[in-house]
Amino acid sequence: MKKLLVVLLALVTVASFAAVNLSGSLSVTTEITYNASTSALSWSVAPSASWGASASGSDGTTGFTVSFGGSFTASSGYVWYKPYISDPLTVELRAGRLSRSLSIFGTTVINGVTANSLAAGFTMKSGDLSDTLWVYIDPVSAPNYVELDLVNRLTFGAIKVDALVNNIVANASSTPPSANLGLTVSIDAGNLLNLQAASLTVGGGFSGTFPSAPLSLWVVGASFKIDQFSGLIKFTNPAALYAELSTTLFAPVDAGLYISTDVTDPFNTLSLGVWASWKLGVLSNRISLDYASPNVTAAWIVSASF
């Protein structure tokens, strides 16, 4: 009878979720590094693992998501509840360890915190216009006791604008008042130009403290995909240039290369590398060769995920 109750409880628990997703990964990175200035050779083998879980209720109004690192500590995780769902407006509440930041073309424009927070999100839709506003409330020490962050994500056709305002309460109480603001704008130029066999995205972003230092970081760039080739080029202040190109021309092997430098001193700041990746059974393999003066590094990463 006891076993039957356990089985029934398990069935009820599973039935209460419309979807339960488990994910995880394990990777092992083997690196050999040669330092040209000291003629020193070193190597390392470093495993890393992560896993996560998410689920939603059968009515789609409640659920949870959690992510764990290799030390089995929750890097992020929260429960969520949608008290109101409709086409023009959806309201969502979250509680847990929440992250917020802005990035574009692989560059973090403003690094928001990951903190124990309460959050409320409001998603509004009307035709080609979609806007989501998130309000984060974090408990902090005196004298502020609470801290507020705002994230707004606006999409209008091919244009996307994301903004993050950090530490509103602390900055409002400072003298003179200031604001930590990050903004990114991306444009689906391929859609606007009606490109049939290619995609092109252009855009940029910046962050700073207003009014004292409005441009502490900025980035402009473009990404593209044409047939079996894809690439990215970006320029970040004060003078960092980065470009990459990858191809599936040698399928099932993917290959690529990158170059990065400070344009004011290109020879002493040059970094470049090549890589190739392929699948072997359940394993994903990636080999790379990188140069960043004075080091030359060869790496082999083997990973498996579910």
Side-chain angles (χ1 to χ4, degrees), residues 232-304:
L232 166 69
I233 184 169
K234 62 182 177 180
F235 191 70
T236 307
N237 74 315
L241 178 66
Y242 176 88
E244 68 179 34
L245 179 68
S246 60
T247 180
T248 58
L249 190 63
F250 310 107
V253 177
D254 296 340
L257 55 88
Y258 75 89
I259 182 171
S260 174
T261 188
D262 187 320
V263 297
T264 62
D265 188 12
F267 295 106
N268 292 323
T269 60
L270 179 67
S271 298
L272 53 87
V274 295
W275 60 267
S277 63
W278 70 95
K279 292 273 292 184
L280 181 63
V282 299
L283 301 180
S284 296
N285 296 267
R286 178 186 171 99
I287 57 173
S288 61
L289 182 65
D290 301 273
Y291 167 78
S293 181
N295 296 323
V296 178
T297 302
W300 179 19
I301 303 175
V302 181
S303 61

Side-chain angles (χ1 to χ4, degrees), residues 11 18 21-22 40 64 102 119 121 130 147-149 156 178 186 210 222 246 285 290 293 302:
L11 290 175
N21 298 308
L22 298 175
F64 75 91
L102 285 186
S130 175
E147 191 47 74
L148 296 179
D149 293 344
F156 182 69
S178 61
S186 63
F210 291 80
S246 60
N285 296 267
D290 301 273
S293 181
V302 181

